[in-house]
Amino acid sequence: QVQLVESRGGLVQAGGSLRLSCAASGNIFRINDMGWYRQAPGKQRELVAAITSGGGTDYADSVKGRFTISRDNAKNTVYLQMNSLKPEDTAVYYCNARITTTRILTSDYWGQGTQVTVSS
């Protein structure tokens, strides 16, 4: 069994900052790519940021320069630092990780989702 547990999101004013974390636990052999997605009401889930096992990163155009993804491999944790938040960043945020288990099976795993609300 593998679990991804996200930190709580919250309510923040426009221009503010918030940091999300997501810790993986269970029968983990290796964590490959990790990422953050978000889904706003009435919209499809979209990729926000991704990070490879080697630390390479990629961002959605809408968050470049404002969000930073990082990971601590020793803690099996991925972070999303969100600065200069805008009302359009309001969404449920989900972490994702491609994990190889101790049975050498590789699958995508998802966190439970956490609400981020940015007020104007």
Side-chain angles (χ1 to χ4, degrees), residues 1 7 33 41 44-47 58 72 82 89 103 107 110:
Q1 283 282 54
S7 60
D33 295 352
Q44 287 190 329
R45 190 174 297 189
E46 63 175 355
L47 176 67
D58 191 24
D72 184 334
M82 303 184 290
D89 294 319
R103 291 188 173 186
S107 300
W110 292 88

Side-chain angles (χ1 to χ4, degrees), residues 53-66:
S53 57
T57 59
D58 191 24
Y59 296 92
D61 288 343
S62 59
V63 306
K64 281 181 182 176
R66 300 188 298 121

Side-chain angles (χ1 to χ4, degrees), residues 5-70:
V5 178
E6 300 176 24
S7 60
R8 291 184 65 179
L11 173 64
V12 63
Q13 287 189 329
S17 298
L18 198 60
R19 188 193 196 206
L20 302 179
S21 64
C22 173
S25 63
N27 300 326
I28 297 171
F29 175 73
R30 181 178 61 242
I31 301 179
N32 306 295
D33 295 352
M34 305 183 83
W36 288 93
Y37 290 72
R38 67 186 181 188
Q39 188 166 18
K43 294 189 176 181
Q44 287 190 329
R45 190 174 297 189
E46 63 175 355
L47 176 67
V48 176
I51 185 167
T52 68
S53 57
T57 59
D58 191 24
Y59 296 92
D61 288 343
S62 59
V63 306
K64 281 181 182 176
R66 300 188 298 121
F67 290 12
T68 302
I69 189 170
S70 61

